[in-house]
Amino acid sequence: LDAIANIYLREGDNLISKLVNEYGISQAVIDANPPEGPLDFARKFLSGAWNVDLSEAAKLALRKEMKNELAKVAGGLKRTTTKEATGEPTKAELDAIAAVYDKEGAALLEKMVKEYGLSQEKIDANK
């Protein structure tokens, strides 16, 4: 403890600046729990009091940023009506498929069997 305390006495706040700038220790974490003197600095330094789980810190920063961005964007959103599908094709969809089949004929079915792995037997059974 004495060796670290002596370094703190010699360097003072410059030592904390070096820890922040060179080793990525968070200034906010140090400010939240500042050393009360050289021995307290040594205890906190050696006990890892200022170590931060970087992945957790990154998650917190991301959440904070997302919350701010969401608040900004939310004001610009408009209400809309959502259409819900029944699972049944509409007449327009059936007409469009019929038009493609009329144009392509059996070649379309052969192509679909090859490209999409459809069962030729099932297609023949439902003609």
Side-chain angles (χ1 to χ4, degrees):
L1 284 177
D2 289 339
I4 304 268
N6 286 333
I7 294 171
Y8 180 76
L9 279 172
R10 195 171 57 242
E11 298 287 331
D13 288 336
N14 289 337
L15 181 58
I16 292 176
S17 295
K18 286 180 184 178
L19 292 173
V20 169
N21 294 330
E22 293 181 24
Y23 299 104
I25 294 175
S26 169
Q27 183 69 51
V29 172
I30 294 174
D31 291 344
N33 188 13
E36 295 175 7
L39 281 175
D40 188 46
F41 173 84
R43 278 188 202 98
K44 288 178 179 176
F45 179 77
L46 292 173
S47 71
W50 299 314
N51 290 350
V52 175
D53 181 351
L54 295 179
S55 64
E56 287 302 316
K59 288 178 192 176
L60 289 173
L62 178 63
R63 285 185 193 115
K64 184 176 179 182
E65 183 64 25
M66 287 175 63
K67 186 176 180 180
N68 290 339
E69 288 297 316
L70 184 60
K72 288 178 192 175
V73 173
L77 297 176
K78 299 186 277 184
R79 286 243 173 244
T80 184
T81 303
T82 303
K83 296 178 185 176
E84 292 187 28
T86 63
E88 296 293 320
T90 65
K91 179 167 177 13
E93 291 168 333
L94 291 173
D95 290 344
I97 292 169
V100 171
Y101 182 76
D102 288 344
K103 180 179 174 188
E104 301 290 330
L108 175 64
L109 292 177
E110 290 173 13
K111 185 176 178 183
M112 291 176 71
V113 166
K114 287 179 186 173
E115 288 189 29
Y116 301 110
L118 300 179
S119 166
Q120 185 67 52
E121 292 78 24
K122 287 185 180 181
I123 291 173
D124 291 342
N126 288 301
K127 281 187 177 180

